[in-house]
Amino acid sequence: MTETADEIEQFVHEYAEKFSTADPEVIATHFHEPATLLTGDGAIVLERRADVEILFTEILDGLRERDYDFSEVGDLDVEVLGPDRARATVEWIRYTTTGEELEHLVATHLFRRTEDGWKMAVLAPHED
């Protein structure tokens, strides 16, 4: 694995830890400005960090209602696209406060290296 691929793998695992804090401000620091959420319903451009915080506040509120506690990385596939770009397809496993699996989610992330390190520029949840 290349150094860049190792960095992305580390980023993904760190993001899982930070997501598990359920703090939208902490989560938002991992996103590029602007960032894009790409779903089957369309693309949502998140121009500023505050937009990411608003989106993840809504997501986390919904997860808390379902007794969400933390997330782990399952399968992880990283592809280096260049010295400053990479892609990772990640299986996210979410758990409840009792340790039961809540759900599996697969998402493809596009990353860009910035002066502040790697940032997530595109998040695209999808089927396996």
Side-chain angles (χ1 to χ4, degrees):
M1 195 176 283
T2 67
E3 182 179 336
T4 298
D6 288 342
E7 290 172 357
I8 294 300
E9 197 168 300
Q10 180 179 345
F11 179 99
V12 169
H13 285 281
E14 179 184 301
Y15 178 72
E17 290 177 21
K18 300 304 182 188
F19 190 93
S20 295
T21 68
D23 183 340
E25 289 181 33
V26 172
I27 293 167
T29 64
H30 289 75
F31 282 81
H32 192 274
E33 290 181 67
T36 302
L37 172 62
L38 186 60
T39 70
D41 294 330
I44 300 169
V45 177
L46 306 163
E47 293 286 343
R48 300 167 294 122
R49 184 168 288 168
D51 298 326
V52 175
E53 291 174 17
I54 291 166
L55 173 69
F56 280 92
T57 296
E58 294 172 9
I59 290 170
L60 292 163
D61 286 348
L63 286 171
R64 278 191 212 96
E65 288 176 7
R66 298 169 51 212
D67 200 29
Y68 171 77
D69 188 37
F70 69 97
S71 297
E72 287 184 342
V73 176
D75 291 336
L76 172 59
D77 176 47
V78 175
E79 179 184 10
V80 176
L81 305 174
D84 61 350
R85 288 161 289 135
R87 178 210 46 86
T89 299
V90 185
E91 175 193 26
W92 296 103
I93 307 165
R94 293 178 175 162
Y95 294 90
T96 66
T97 56
T98 61
E100 295 177 50
E101 263 187 38
L102 179 64
E103 66 186 5
H104 282 250
L105 171 71
V106 177
T108 295
H109 306 260
L110 295 179
F111 300 95
R112 180 174 177 269
R113 187 189 311 262
T114 70
E115 291 178 3
D116 296 325
W118 288 99
K119 298 293 181 183
M120 194 181 318
V122 178
L123 169 59
H126 53 85
E127 299 296 320
D128 293 342

